Amino acid sequence: MAEGVGAHEEQRPAGSDDEHEPDYRFTLANERTFLAWLRTSLSLLAAGVAVVQLVPAFPVPGARAVIGALLAVLAVVAAASGVLRWRSVETAIRRDRPLPAQRVPWALAAGLVVLALFGLALIALRGGA
């Protein structure tokens, strides 16, 4: 090790599989992001339960069950993706690699847009009934 260079400042080849202990701030930021994924998942699950249990019936039979189930599916996707994302980012940080691409937010956003449009259609049907 060169004089004046700390253990965490050693030069490593980019893309190396050697792991090192990263700056704790990066690890904690990754953990906070993971917890945000879990909060999002819990919110989606709570919304699904609320739709099934609290929302009055729509003119389309079974609409509440479909919306509730789709929200629960999005909750599972968010929770599972959060775990996988946390692990892959942690590995990238420890190996000095670029952060992995993230496609799941697009899928969650698309799912919520579809559910919102479906909800608007159901509300319009209720208004006309």
Side-chain angles (χ1 to χ4, degrees):
M1 180 163 53
E3 189 172 294
V5 176
H8 295 289
E9 299 173 14
E10 283 185 50
Q11 294 296 326
R12 289 183 176 77
S16 162
D17 282 346
D18 294 337
E19 292 191 4
H20 68 282
E21 192 62 32
D23 184 334
Y24 69 91
R25 292 173 290 186
F26 297 125
T27 300
L28 293 175
N30 190 30
E31 184 178 328
R32 283 190 301 273
T33 302
F34 168 65
L35 293 173
W37 279 97
L38 291 183
R39 284 190 303 272
T40 299
S41 176
L42 184 58
S43 298
L44 288 166
L45 186 58
V49 170
V51 165
V52 171
Q53 296 296 317
L54 304 175
V55 172
F58 288 109
V60 177
R64 288 186 309 171
V66 169
I67 292 172
L70 290 174
L71 285 165
V73 167
L74 289 177
V76 170
V77 168
S81 298
V83 170
L84 296 174
R85 174 76 180 169
W86 171 79
R87 187 180 65 189
S88 64
V89 167
E90 189 70 19
T91 300
I93 289 170
R94 290 177 178 278
R95 293 181 180 173
D96 284 328
R97 290 186 174 171
L99 296 180
Q102 193 170 354
R103 293 178 186 90
V104 174
W106 288 99
L108 288 175
L112 288 173
V113 166
V114 167
L115 282 168
L117 292 173
F118 185 55
L120 285 173
L122 290 172
I123 290 169
L125 283 174
R126 181 184 287 168

